[in-house]
Amino acid sequence: MKTLKYIAIIFIFLVICLVVFSRIFRNIHYKTEVTINVPVQKVFTGYMDIEKMGRWIPGFERIEYMGGLMMGKGTRLRLVLNNNGKQTTAIQEIKQIKWNKLIEYTLDEKRITVSTTVLFTQEDGSTIVITENEAHGNGFLWKTLLPFMKPAISVKARKSQEMFKAAMEKDFS
């Protein structure tokens, strides 16, 4: 009985530590960078082309226009994704666009919300695309788990950037 009591105390202590840790580190930040051997105008246009999103967003099924100036500030899009056989929906809202330079948007899904800034820089006929992301969990469970998911989320973001690079270089080289 004493052993069971100690196990319960340790378990409760670990749960409290987990929750406290996740509340201290509420948001996760991750960054990707890729150099694409295509001029910035074509890369930026390719990033904005909703017909091509399926080529570089893992699990992409379809996109639905919800409102706002088409592919301008205030545009809202519903992205339908398939993650290992489970369909999820996310709402993307464009917050700011500076043509050939910058796109800022939020992606809101029931479990997490991600704010993204994508910077486009031309260098010797190539384009450097830097994506900076800040994510936070929605709901108690996801707020608690998100800090521990950063490595997996970062890998998925890097994979998406590499897929984007491959698609742009295939289309425009």
Side-chain angles (χ1 to χ4, degrees), residues 11-41:
F11 178 75
I12 291 169
F13 176 75
L14 290 175
V15 168
I16 290 170
C17 288
L18 175 72
V19 171
V20 168
F21 178 82
S22 68
R23 294 311 179 259
I24 292 170
F25 301 101
R26 288 181 176 262
N27 297 334
I28 63 168
H29 302 273
Y30 55 99
K31 180 178 177 178
T32 62
E33 182 174 327
V34 66
T35 300
I36 302 171
N37 298 315
V38 175
V40 70
Q41 300 86 345

Side-chain angles (χ1 to χ4, degrees), residues 40-69:
V40 70
Q41 300 86 345
K42 292 179 180 181
V43 171
F44 187 88
T45 302
Y47 197 90
M48 299 293 289
D49 188 343
I50 62 176
E51 297 295 321
K52 292 182 181 181
M53 287 183 176
R55 296 175 56 203
W56 55 275
I57 298 176
F60 180 87
E61 283 190 359
R62 69 181 182 277
I63 192 164
E64 300 165 5
Y65 174 73
M66 295 176 62
L69 178 64

